[in-house]
Amino acid sequence: MDFKYTDDNKRYHTLSYYNRHKYGRKIFKAVIDAGFTCPNKDGTKGTGGCIFCRGGSGYFTGSPEISVSIQLKAETERIHSKYPDAGIIAYFQANTNTYAPVDRLREIYLPVAKNNDITGISIGTRADCISEETADFLCELSKLTDLTVELGMQTVHDSTLKILNTGYTHNEFLNGFYRLKKRNIRTCLHIINGLPGETEEMMIQTAVKTAELSPNAIKIQLLHILKDTPLEKMYADGEVRTMEKENYISVVVSQLESLPPETVIERITGDGDKKYLVAPKWSTDKLAVLGGIDKEFVRRDTFQGKKFQKK
């Protein structure tokens, strides 16, 4: 197998491999809710959010009423109680974490970046909330700590983005992405498989187009139907179907074949909250999904980047 980003027979560039070779130890994320909202919820772009969103995608987070410093301290103590030598990434996950004036961003992020107990910061946001001024600040932040900005791309197909009620087009996404890229800010893109109306060919096309961007990292997510979301009603009405496990596995392997081998795969399946998960139920067995992906790589005798064509 001609794949260099592995030392455990994996055929894709795992986050554990990246952390092991960059930091030489385990790295865990301390998940923090800094109290941001979203332009697709507060009326700026829309209300109600994306159709799959249930409360801002931050169900692992603490309460935004608690200060960032206290949340971070509690999370660090929790992680170090089990893994005393682990590195800590402060992960701002809930809602849109650059959706505020830069002065407010400074108040939140600079103290964390200067915290000696922290290995780095990961900021989840929307690309249409990356202005030139915001990108300049993130560039400044990246010189103080290991920074990753996570952008929800979801798909390259505007027809799907409209169904999802994201409030942005793919071109708008690209504008924000390139502001980060030209400043050499490490960026992780999120894509979702199984979106309404998309064929497997469209999902693979999303990966091919993503590969052209040469992102530092990518998260591949399965569409989950969660309770109390517009998507749940669409599912109940038969407007949306979920993927079967075998199809998801096949698509993921095809996507990874198309991605640059140096792109880190930070996630390859979903973590839908079991308390609210409506479908697909098979997604709760992550080990079976991960094992199925490994087996499909072997069956095809392939690996990440095998079909990648640099332009």
Side-chain angles (χ1 to χ4, degrees):
M1 180 180 67
D2 187 22
F3 186 68
K4 69 178 184 177
Y5 298 98
T6 185
D7 46 26
D8 58 3
N9 295 318
K10 287 285 187 182
R11 294 178 178 234
Y12 58 96
H13 192 158
T14 66
L15 181 59
S16 60
Y17 176 91
Y18 172 81
N19 287 336
R20 193 160 54 244
H21 285 261
K22 182 174 177 63
Y23 301 109
R25 57 177 173 161
K26 287 184 177 293
I27 303 292
F28 291 91
K29 286 184 173 178
V31 186
I32 298 166
D33 188 336
F36 290 97
T37 183
C38 173
N40 203 20
K41 292 169 67 176
D42 70 1
T44 302
K45 287 279 183 91
T47 58
C50 301
I51 63 171
F52 52 76
C53 180
R54 189 185 192 281
S57 303
Y59 56 82
F60 291 118
T61 58
S63 170
E65 297 174 358
I66 301 171
S67 72
V68 167
S69 60
I70 292 175
Q71 288 185 63
L72 184 56
K73 184 174 184 293
E75 278 283 88
T76 300
E77 289 174 352
R78 178 185 64 81
I79 293 166
H80 281 165
S81 67
K82 190 170 183 180
Y83 302 98
D85 298 323
I88 305 291
I89 300 290
Y91 184 23
F92 293 82
Q93 180 189 28
N95 289 302
T96 304
N97 292 280
T98 59
Y99 187 45
V102 168
D103 286 347
R104 176 61 178 149
L105 301 183
R106 287 180 176 278
E107 291 175 3
I108 292 171
Y109 294 121
L110 288 181
V112 179
K114 295 173 182 177
N115 185 327
N116 291 330
D117 293 330
I118 299 305
T119 304
I121 296 175
S122 185
I123 296 174
T125 192
R126 291 164 55 106
D128 60 347
C129 291
I130 304 289
S131 66
E132 290 288 343
E133 186 182 12
T134 299
D136 284 341
F137 166 68
L138 293 172
C139 184
E140 175 188 337
L141 191 65
S142 70
K143 294 173 182 175
L144 299 174
T145 189
D146 284 350
L147 174 67
T148 296
V149 177
E150 300 193 14
L151 297 178
M153 184 174 81
Q154 324 311 4
T155 178
V156 300
H157 304 287
D158 280 334
S159 58
T160 309
L161 291 172
K162 189 171 182 179
I163 294 171
L164 295 179
N165 191 42
T166 59
Y168 59 78
T169 64
H170 185 57
N171 276 339
E172 287 177 291
F173 167 85
L174 290 175
N175 289 338
F177 169 78
Y178 283 123
R179 284 178 179 143
L180 298 174
K181 191 174 182 68
K182 77 178 184 180
R183 291 169 172 83
N184 296 314
I185 296 170
R186 186 178 189 270
T187 308
C188 178
L189 306 185
H190 293 212
I191 64 172
I192 301 177
N193 290 332
L195 293 172
E198 290 208 352
T199 63
E200 293 181 11
E201 290 73 20
M202 291 172 73
M203 300 173 210
I204 294 168
Q205 186 181 10
T206 287
V208 171
K209 291 293 186 182
T210 301
E212 294 174 4
L213 303 177
S214 296
N216 302 99
I218 188 170
K219 286 186 175 181
I220 301 176
Q221 168 77 41
L222 169 69
L223 181 68
H224 293 111
I225 313 295
L226 299 179
K227 292 179 182 177
D228 303 323
T229 62
L231 190 61
E232 181 190 21
K233 184 178 187 306
M234 294 172 67
Y235 179 72
D237 292 344
E239 298 175 33
V240 176
R241 298 177 61 186
T242 57
M243 293 186 78
E244 298 295 333
K245 181 170 71 174
E246 294 73 18
N247 300 95
Y248 181 77
I249 288 170
S250 177
V251 166
V252 166
V253 172
S254 295
Q255 290 174 321
L256 293 178
E257 285 180 316
S258 302
L259 289 170
E262 61 271 18
T263 296
V264 180
I265 310 304
E266 294 206 0
R267 183 172 63 202
I268 205 168
T269 185
D271 290 306
D273 191 335
K274 294 179 183 179
K275 292 184 297 185
Y276 304 111
L277 181 66
V278 175
K281 296 295 188 181
W282 59 259
S283 65
T284 61
D285 190 351
K286 287 184 66 176
L287 288 178
V289 178
L290 294 172
I293 290 169
D294 289 341
K295 289 176 182 176
E296 181 65 9
F297 269 115
V298 173
R299 188 190 71 79
R300 295 192 197 180
D301 189 23
T302 191
F303 49 86
Q304 180 182 336
K306 187 174 183 179
K307 295 184 180 179
F308 172 65
Q309 296 181 343
K310 191 167 185 176
K311 293 188 176 181

